[in-house]
Amino acid sequence: MFGIQLISGTSNKPLSEEISSLVNVPLTSVIIKNFADGEKYVRVESTVRGENIFIIQSVSPPVNDSLMELLILIDSVKRGGASQINVIAPYLGYSRQDRKSKSREPISAKLIANMITSAGANRLLVYDLHADQIQGFYDIPVDHFLGFSIFAKYLLDKKLKNIVVVSPDVGGVKRANRLADHMGAPIAIIDKIRSKHNQSDVAHLVGDVKGKTAVIIDDIIDTGGSICNAVNEVKNKGAKKVIICASHAVLSGSAITNLQQSVAKKIVFLNTIKLPSTLSNKFVSLTVAPVISDAILRIHQNKSLEPLFVN
Amino acid sequence: MFGIQLISGTSNKPLSEEISSLVNVPLTSVIIKNFADGEKYVRVESTVRGENIFIIQSVSPPVNDSLMELLILIDSVKRGGASQINVIAPYLGYSRQDRKSKSREPISAKLIANMITSAGANRLLVYDLHADQIQGFYDIPVDHFLGFSIFAKYLLDKKLKNIVVVSPDVGGVKRANRLADHMGAPIAIIDKIRSKHNQSDVAHLVGDVKGKTAVIIDDIIDTGGSICNAVNEVKNKGAKKVIICASHAVLSGSAITNLQQSVAKKIVFLNTIKLPSTLSNKFVSLTVAPVISDAILRIHQNKSLEPLFVN
Amino acid sequence: MFGIQLISGTSNKPLSEEISSLVNVPLTSVIIKNFADGEKYVRVESTVRGENIFIIQSVSPPVNDSLMELLILIDSVKRGGASQINVIAPYLGYSRQDRKSKSREPISAKLIANMITSAGANRLLVYDLHADQIQGFYDIPVDHFLGFSIFAKYLLDKKLKNIVVVSPDVGGVKRANRLADHMGAPIAIIDKIRSKHNQSDVAHLVGDVKGKTAVIIDDIIDTGGSICNAVNEVKNKGAKKVIICASHAVLSGSAITNLQQSVAKKIVFLNTIKLPSTLSNKFVSLTVAPVISDAILRIHQNKSLEPLFVN
Amino acid sequence: MFGIQLISGTSNKPLSEEISSLVNVPLTSVIIKNFADGEKYVRVESTVRGENIFIIQSVSPPVNDSLMELLILIDSVKRGGASQINVIAPYLGYSRQDRKSKSREPISAKLIANMITSAGANRLLVYDLHADQIQGFYDIPVDHFLGFSIFAKYLLDKKLKNIVVVSPDVGGVKRANRLADHMGAPIAIIDKIRSKHNQSDVAHLVGDVKGKTAVIIDDIIDTGGSICNAVNEVKNKGAKKVIICASHAVLSGSAITNLQQSVAKKIVFLNTIKLPSTLSNKFVSLTVAPVISDAILRIHQNKSLEPLFVN
Amino acid sequence: MFGIQLISGTSNKPLSEEISSLVNVPLTSVIIKNFADGEKYVRVESTVRGENIFIIQSVSPPVNDSLMELLILIDSVKRGGASQINVIAPYLGYSRQDRKSKSREPISAKLIANMITSAGANRLLVYDLHADQIQGFYDIPVDHFLGFSIFAKYLLDKKLKNIVVVSPDVGGVKRANRLADHMGAPIAIIDKIRSKHNQSDVAHLVGDVKGKTAVIIDDIIDTGGSICNAVNEVKNKGAKKVIICASHAVLSGSAITNLQQSVAKKIVFLNTIKLPSTLSNKFVSLTVAPVISDAILRIHQNKSLEPLFVN
Amino acid sequence: MFGIQLISGTSNKPLSEEISSLVNVPLTSVIIKNFADGEKYVRVESTVRGENIFIIQSVSPPVNDSLMELLILIDSVKRGGASQINVIAPYLGYSRQDRKSKSREPISAKLIANMITSAGANRLLVYDLHADQIQGFYDIPVDHFLGFSIFAKYLLDKKLKNIVVVSPDVGGVKRANRLADHMGAPIAIIDKIRSKHNQSDVAHLVGDVKGKTAVIIDDIIDTGGSICNAVNEVKNKGAKKVIICASHAVLSGSAITNLQQSVAKKIVFLNTIKLPSTLSNKFVSLTVAPVISDAILRIHQNKSLEPLFVN
């Protein structure tokens, strides 16, 4: 296919390869390395002049390195004369720092937006932002895909009955509502008070889970503390079975152990972040590659992305 | 006081006068008029050169006229040599259009952010944005005040017991949570499906309101349809008493009549938007002037605003 | 025709339809509505990705609403991935506020220029700006069409003899000169002193109108006060017949009545602003649609607009 | 005086010295030289950190060298940490190229505006722009002084009677009107057709000059061709005496000879451009230094410039 | 060839014509003139709408005029609707002012970079910048061609033996190293102390030149003082023969005489600057036209420039 | 001292503390932490409103984390209302990527410049940039300090005789020349060919080192490979003693071991990067704190930095 190029960063190479295979365009050969002092170096090995470039790079841990790699890739294709630079960051780190909750805090998600834009990106494609409003941090078009329909398809295939969708905190109710709406299920909420960063206190459950299959949905599982508390709370309130659906498997610290040991039956992730290869079969990975591949082709062919959002 | 000036637009003159009185700085004399064809014209009548200017103007209905008036005021003091231009927009219209929910929608709240910034504002002070993330639409400092503590003080003064804080939709749960947290009360949520713009279908209540005083909290009351449905739903589910707390009294169409006729005991507003003078005593107006006045003085004296946020 | 789209705002739908018909491209389906609180909402109903978009919207009264509608339309197609955004604003309001005449006045026409540009427009097409220099407020290309040749054609068709072209004020002499030059006629000027905004005092006539057909030319008729005074002055000085040619029919207040009752034989407008449907046959409307349609096609086909300016 | 510095370019050193003397601030020592290849080099010899800098440099012939010198001066004080950079360009070249009159012409005056702004200027002070609207080419404050009151004072001191103010072309009628208004005199206009750049054909005179003292006013005298034709035309139509008032003495080619040989009694210039030292006493130079000096002090002391404009 | 246009400024017309002939695209007809007062005026005589424009203009003496001409050309094609504006400035003046060496100096090369970019250029093509880092002054792509391979080809054709490549100062060692590397020759350096701008004191030679053919390489020959001192120093240290290779023939003051009278056998220039027609056969001019022509075609056809850099 | 604040990042706390002590201003209390997923979080604990902020943070390994920490610190004080944000980055990573040496490489140093500027920095203070021209990557003032005078003082204190200053590559000759100039010593150069990134082949020595004390000067010691080869080459050519002076102790991989085992007598660093605490006494650290402290005070008191550069 003439005029389109896929360039993969190093943060999620398997996803890039899956997309490349679906789009039927080989990944452009790129040198990406770390100098001895940790500085990133990149060089695209064939011409990008006048081409429609799609750079695939999740801003996932090591997050600052992934970000810098993305920015340097953008700079190199910009200076190389690319026609359009589309950034595909299925997971976009720093999105949780999207507002000031105290005086003299940064809004790091805006900082990242300004970096990506001023480096030269013409378009951004992301999955399940922490808040929808982050689209508005950008003046370039942002295509924001929601993973709930992928989770819904998984749940429907499992023919689960009597479902309640649970948000593990008040910030995620809208996300729970979307899935519930789609499934025709009610919602419940864990109304917790978050005492300090990254640590969470479950307060109590609002809504009814007794005897039901509780699907706890969240955008990010980081240390897993908050989600495991949610599992316990839901179980204590009489849920029959618990399934976790989370878009981005950040999985810091002892997250994997915690999740493995929890009473949740299944932990279902999207593959926006490269998953460890050694997870037990309690963990399920659902791919976003078909949607992203379709989006790439539609963008390249000047077709609307609307059909990809509607369902 | 040397070096500070308060300039009031026409959208909420009473609030400006209240602030002027508290700050003990007279409003700078300004000519603001509409030409015969509806174009806004402004002229500041005394020098602003080198001064620290605070422009007070809610972007409230007629929203496009209020916005244009604000922008032209900014332009005139910028070209007049003002040192700092602080915009105080207690209500900032278009904030609900803060994300694309469908293809080819605008993000009007970002458009407004770009307008205010490029006109020359150096700082923005707002009350109860529709979403906290709108702060991140700006690269200038945004001081975002939350009205819940004013509502809490009102409710505590009334010595209400057995309260439940109700969010009229899933998007407002965080707001409900803040007030509930502050009051030590539980929350409940109306999990509705919003079928079309400005019309709403109540779905069902999540949480328990039976025998309680339900405080329904929202940021904006526009046509009032959604909030009145919430009142009914809560009442149907056995709430003893219903009180509405809403920050911004947009009050379009037959909103006043609907609210007056509803079973809510009290409808409590902030005065971020100029309230009609003829409301019955079922309506209560709480003033934001003390907080804003304190903020203006602190900004002018280079003191932290933190004490105003903490409480 | 592939790749071109015409999007019409609501300010002058008949002109858009005339253009659409001449260009032979249907108007793209767009939802434009006012929310209950007066906020504008737009949504383009079919894909604009990669397309060459022409947005047709005069910034005419209600001028702030028309402007906001234009900006939101630009934002929505920008975020929707349009390739080029051409704004066609046959009448561009606020153009009279194009300089500071007193301290601490705004230059609102520049503010509008910055808004249109930063919203995402790539090109602007306008008719009869209040001053030619407003082109220079923009860093994007501005195609500035002059209506005098349309007026000239009308006057020549009427086979009027012994014409003098009259400028109703000193600011419009260049405009009068252009028409006079084109007709081979002399000019005269009303040298008035403008006492206050929107009100005018005729001072005296410079030049000779005795026994001649006086064609008074102006860019905008707003309240009509100034032009009616000019008619009287010209008539008092012995003009045989008076014809008014004005590009933009703003027609505020009692303008229509004043013009109808004046001794002018004909009042000739361009249709840059939607004219009231109930005007007497003393009023004549000349269409700009053929020129604009030709310009649209030439822009889309990368042909020069020069032939459209020369004549 | 602490905190203020005057930096003079080389284009009009005498004016800078006059201003320096009136402001009572010595000119800051600056090295300005041309390298052998014609590149400009500047270095400010004492610290500018945190200072309020006024750079005095007319953009007069050799115009490109003067402009570059101005820009490099701005850059050097910007990088040197100046607090505010005020550019005083009594004559601002390229102002006549302020609009496109044909396809594929530049708008050079906007280009200059962008250069001055992006180099780092915070404010611009100019005299008698070719068009008032050029103020709107800038987003920084522009103080635009008009020389007509200086001319008026000169004419009143001469106790001239029975004056008519003549504009040498249709573009300058507003300028003539301002002076006439101020003097209580009528106006007349030379309605010429400008055939080619810099050459002009007088067409005919509109208005009455017979037996009067004709004051021809223009902003710029370049080659002097057009103004000398105007003198002849006015004289032919019976003017008793002719006086020329022109703000900017560009005086290209044989302008001085032409003016000297014309029947004009006096040619009165402002000293915005350095005048040749050898002019006959037919030429009169009026100084703008007092107004500029007053403006500098008022800007530095944060006082309004309004009193300087009103008179 | 459709869609490509070559526009030549006046600074190096012979090179433009050579390029035009090689690219097989005629130079677009352009009016470029100086007004009587020295202001530049340009007008492109045929349409540029949607075209891929290459403007060829060295920023060579008279450097400020050449620069302004370039910027005005860019502005005119930008406002005329050009699709891409490629600036080809084989010699880019002001490049030596690329850093602050003393307090309160400008960085004029950055100023020029900002001017070219903000005027509207999309790409810059240059030869032998004074420092490679100047590429980084731009956020648009800069194609930086190095002339050493042209010199090497010349030297190899001459079958010179026992070569040493000499840098006339410490700043040019990298340049000498490139040529030496390419030729398999050693290097030597004149370690001088530059006392004042444009004047130079030879200190002493580092390295060995005895009995060798010394090829002194520099980027610019301005007054020629420094290079002639280098010739003498090299000769004094026993070099058998001296050849000068310099990219840009600025040739200020008595440079030509100095070079003619020096003991250098040949002075070899690139034709990035238009050479005087009367030089003796001691001077050799090598053309950059083939490389630039190839680059233009590759850019227009979206091919990589890499093959042009590698050799 | 009122109005000044020093904020230290985590990359070189000892230097910050030394500066704090010399400036006599305590370090402002700041929370800086890494979230579990590696995202940086910062919060300044006391008000910065209206203050003159100096952020001290070397962009040293882990370079991407250090950079992100710096940017987030800038963002937080910008949004907190700081008056001036001065960034002190004694070592500024990525400076070696300051030009494209091959097609489709990035210019990462410019990317970093744009990031720092657009985050909100008003001024940058750095030590020994890889190339002086990097100053020109910025439009904000950059104070570029050179360490050679600190090295010179050290060498003079040691009363070393018969010195030759050696540049380990052709890119560093200017640096060697500065030190040599200052010491009245000759220079020599290692004319190597750098085969691949971070690996180097010594070619041969240009100049004379026999029997001399060779001071090899470089800006950065990364893996140390190139400098150790230089030591060997110099020793092989008969140098009596070898001393290494290098500004920035990046010290990747086995650099410390290599240097320890080399025949160099002393390895002298500046403390722009935090040095390992366990180095042998073969390593010497010279502090930049006095110069930086003096610069901070001078900037804060609006005094010239010139005296700090001259020496």
Side-chain angles (χ1 to χ4, degrees), chain A residues 43 47 49-50 78-79 81, chain E residues 123 138 141 303-306:
Chain A
R43 185 169 177 250
T47 186
R49 193 177 301 279
K78 178 184 71 178
R79 292 186 186 274
Chain E
R123 167 183 299 278
Y138 293 81
K303 288 186 192 154
S304 177
L305 299 190
E306 200 170 7

Side-chain angles (χ1 to χ4, degrees), chain C residues 72-93:
Chain C
I72 291 180
L73 278 167
I74 295 172
D75 190 72
S76 66
V77 298
K78 177 184 71 179
R79 293 186 186 274
S83 169
Q84 287 287 311
I85 304 173
N86 307 276
V87 169
I88 297 178
Y91 174 68
L92 183 63

Side-chain angles (χ1 to χ4, degrees), chain D residues 13-66:
Chain D
K13 207 70 184 290
L15 176 61
S16 300
E17 282 159 358
E18 197 181 340
I19 292 168
S20 163
S21 164
L22 288 168
V23 175
N24 202 18
V25 170
L27 295 176
T28 295
S29 179
V30 188
I31 297 165
I32 302 181
K33 65 179 179 189
N34 295 330
F35 284 130
D37 62 349
E39 289 184 10
K40 287 274 175 185
Y41 170 79
V42 312
R43 183 170 179 248
V44 181
E45 294 198 287
S46 55
T47 187
V48 296
R49 194 177 299 280
E51 299 276 273
N52 195 10
I53 305 297
F54 294 81
I55 299 174
I56 308 168
Q57 167 81 335
S58 271
V59 179
S60 53
V63 68
N64 298 324
D65 296 329
S66 297

Side-chain angles (χ1 to χ4, degrees), chain A residues 24-64:
Chain A
N24 200 18
V25 170
L27 295 175
T28 295
S29 178
V30 187
I31 297 164
I32 302 180
K33 64 177 177 191
N34 295 330
F35 284 129
D37 62 349
E39 290 184 10
K40 287 274 175 186
Y41 169 81
V42 313
R43 185 169 177 250
V44 180
E45 295 199 288
S46 55
T47 186
V48 296
R49 193 177 301 279
E51 298 276 272
N52 195 9
I53 305 297
F54 294 81
I55 299 174
I56 307 167
Q57 168 80 335
S58 272
V59 179
S60 53
V63 68
N64 299 325

